Structures are given as structure tokens and as C-alpha cells.
Amino acid sequence: MGGFGISRFKLDNYLYEKAIESGCQIIHQQVNEIDFSDNFFTIQTENNEIFQAKVVFGAFGKRSNLDVKLQRNFIQKNLLG
């Protein structure tokens, strides 16, 4: 019985380091546009750079501009209710 806790910072840092070890490219830019078609993501960043990938991980807060763009279900819910 029971469980354990881990800080969000430590978990994020661990995943970041594992991604780098696995050969992932880390990009620290805001994503302004995202599209998924033909099994590829196409991403445009704040610097107008374009990236394409089969797999994309995003680190952003809930109710971000990407949540709106991706039309995620929870974005329609009222924050107070």
C-alpha cells in the first residue's frame, strides 16, 4: 500500500535527459502552427522555422494556444464550472 511522490521539475528533467540520450532534437521555441497529415506533423515556430516529424512531444500548459488549435475537448469547458 502507499505510493511515492516526485517533483514535477525532477520528472521533467529526467525525461529531458532521456530524450537527449535517445537522440531527440530539443527545440526551445514557441510553436505557432501545427498540422497533422499523411502521418507527419508539420510545425511552424515563432522564428518561422518549419519542422516535420512522425512523433512530437510538446511541453506547454493546459489551455494553451495549441490546445485551441488542436480543438481539444476540454478547451470548450468553462473554467469555473
Side-chain angles (χ1 to χ4, degrees):
M1 300 286 167
F4 65 93
I6 185 170
S7 79
R8 178 64 192 260
F9 176 81
K10 286 186 183 270
L11 177 61
D12 287 351
N13 189 62
Y14 175 81
L15 294 173
Y16 176 85
E17 289 176 2
K18 287 298 176 186
I20 290 172
E21 287 174 17
S22 298
C24 290
Q25 180 181 8
I26 308 296
I27 300 166
H28 296 275
Q29 293 183 43
Q30 179 175 314
V31 172
N32 289 338
E33 294 290 331
I34 185 168
D35 183 58
F36 183 75
S37 60
D38 298 325
N39 293 320
F40 276 92
F41 288 95
T42 302
I43 313 261
Q44 180 180 357
T45 67
E46 62 189 336
N47 295 341
N48 291 319
E49 292 183 82
I50 305 288
F51 299 92
Q52 286 193 315
K54 285 188 175 186
V55 177
V56 175
F57 291 93
F60 49 91
K62 188 174 179 182
R63 306 186 83 75
S64 72
N65 65 331
L66 289 180
D67 291 322
V68 173
K69 175 75 175 168
L70 296 172
Q71 300 176 346
R72 299 182 80 190
N73 290 335
F74 65 81
I75 207 73
Q76 301 300 324
K77 295 182 181 176
N78 184 344
L79 287 174
L80 302 175

